[in-house]
Amino acid sequence: MTHKYDCLLFDLDDTLYPLSTGLASAVLSNITAYMVEKLGIEESKIPDHCNLLYKNYGTTLAGLRAIGYDFDCDEYHSFVHGRLPYEILKPDPVLRNILSSLPIRKVIFTNADKVHAAKVVNMLGLEDCFEDIVCFESLNPIHKNSLSDVENDKAEIFDIIGHFAKPKADCSTLPKTPVVCKPSEYAIELALKIANINPRRTLFFEDSIRNIQAGKRVGLDTVLLDTNSVLTNHLQVGQSQKVKGADYVIENIHNLREALPELWESDMKTEAAAYSGALSVKASVTA
């Protein structure tokens, strides 16, 4: 018997560490500051902007570029992530031991930039646990400016708040984003291609339901990390929570061995079968 999976694909933020660290709220604070200081957006409108951009485009960055804001993505990432209090992330020896004990290829897939991804992994003490990191730069190799200079001069900002304030407004007429990111199925398929991953033999770990559902549509088996305990708090022992698109729901990445013992058992069964076979051969030879 061999492993069902030959790759474990992990989201990064709020998956490899809990939402309770506060790093996500610090990111949101920095995004707000960037939108006010660099893009001149009224602070009172930012909550609505962020909500609509994230909901319809996957990330605030992707949404901002879609509705007409032209800025350098490296500068954006440097501003939003460069001033984060990474020290609040502590080494996680429990997770390190879990990952190290799994004889399966492990890859990170994040919408974040490579500098942020490396810092998070290093702060968690997991720098040698993953074979590869697929990040913003992987999916967007040419991302400084997606608009020509002429187009920049004529670009108008699409009023996304006004759009959804209209009766029966929907997302079908929204401008497209030049940024490739989750939960786009194309982004997931591209990430799989970049990292040479077979979706049929891959288990995908995410804290986002919509990313999980997109992953399921491209053929991945999925594990939803319910880091807010929204789904798992009310469950009794032995119950499982059904979520569309999620094959498994777990509250904490530390529960991986309890939730998915087959990731280890398959390997142990393989070794046991090999050992048993060796004994059988030995017995037949000596008989």
Side-chain angles (χ1 to χ4, degrees):
M1 185 177 187
T2 58
H3 281 291
K4 179 179 180 181
Y5 304 110
D6 55 28
C7 183
L8 304 178
L9 186 63
F10 291 87
D11 176 48
L12 178 70
D13 295 302
D14 304 328
T15 295
L16 294 183
Y17 63 87
L19 183 66
S20 59
T21 62
L23 204 65
S25 61
V27 169
L28 182 57
S29 177
N30 291 345
I31 289 174
T32 297
Y34 185 87
M35 292 170 71
V36 172
E37 296 176 24
K38 302 294 184 177
L39 303 181
I41 299 174
E42 291 181 31
E43 189 166 0
S44 61
K45 294 183 178 180
I46 287 179
D48 286 339
H49 263 107
C50 287
N51 178 54
L52 291 172
L53 296 176
Y54 180 79
K55 178 180 178 180
N56 289 284
Y57 293 101
T59 67
T60 305
L61 183 156
L64 287 170
R65 291 298 296 265
I67 64 174
Y69 287 99
D70 183 48
F71 52 88
D72 186 290
C73 295
D74 286 343
E75 179 194 54
Y76 175 92
H77 284 133
S78 179
F79 189 102
V80 170
H81 292 147
R83 55 179 73 185
L84 288 177
Y86 286 106
E87 65 277 5
I88 64 180
L89 297 178
K90 305 300 180 185
D92 189 341
V94 173
L95 179 55
R96 180 181 175 81
N97 287 338
I98 290 172
L99 295 175
S100 298
S101 69
L102 279 166
I104 307 173
R105 182 188 184 207
K106 292 168 281 289
V107 175
I108 288 175
F109 175 27
T110 176
N111 282 335
D113 61 288
K114 60 184 178 182
V115 173
H116 172 74
K119 285 184 178 179
V120 169
V121 170
N122 288 337
M123 292 302 293
L124 294 173
L126 306 175
E127 58 273 10
D128 57 349
C129 292
F130 298 95
E131 179 181 305
D132 199 2
I133 297 178
V134 180
C135 59
F136 178 87
E137 289 87 350
S138 309
L139 301 179
N140 302 274
I142 303 174
H143 58 82
K144 294 260 181 200
N145 288 293
S146 60
L147 305 174
S148 71
D149 291 337
V150 174
E151 289 173 326
N152 287 343
D153 292 337
K154 297 180 180 179
E156 293 183 3
I157 304 303
F158 178 82
D159 181 9
I160 192 169
I161 296 177
H163 173 80
F164 282 103
K166 298 175 184 177
K168 299 182 180 181
D170 59 40
C171 60
S172 62
T173 57
L174 289 176
K176 304 299 182 183
T177 181
V179 175
V180 180
C181 65
K182 295 181 283 185
S184 158
E185 291 176 34
Y186 170 72
I188 298 175
E189 290 171 341
L190 180 58
L192 297 176
K193 181 178 180 181
I194 290 170
N196 192 26
I197 293 172
N198 178 359
R200 302 297 173 184
R201 290 182 50 78
T202 299
L203 191 58
F204 182 38
F205 296 79
E206 259 280 358
D207 67 297
S208 164
I209 292 178
R210 63 180 181 172
N211 290 353
I212 282 286
Q213 292 171 343
K216 195 64 183 175
R217 288 194 294 271
V218 303
L220 295 163
D221 281 359
T222 58
V223 181
L224 176 65
L225 272 296
D226 182 27
T227 54
N228 275 328
S229 303
V230 172
L231 301 172
T232 54
N233 264 349
H234 69 283
L235 299 179
Q236 297 177 3
V237 176
Q239 282 187 316
S240 62
Q241 175 67 47
K242 294 296 183 181
V243 177
K244 183 180 179 181
D247 294 300
Y248 306 91
V249 179
I250 61 177
E251 185 176 354
N252 191 302
I253 196 71
H254 289 171
N255 299 339
L256 188 55
R257 189 183 290 271
E258 291 76 19
L260 289 160
E262 59 267 32
L263 293 178
W264 287 266
E265 288 174 359
S266 59
D267 186 61
M268 289 188 288
K269 288 177 181 177
T270 301
E271 292 179 1
Y275 181 67
S276 176
L279 288 179
S280 298
V281 171
K282 183 178 180 180
S284 65
V285 170
T286 56

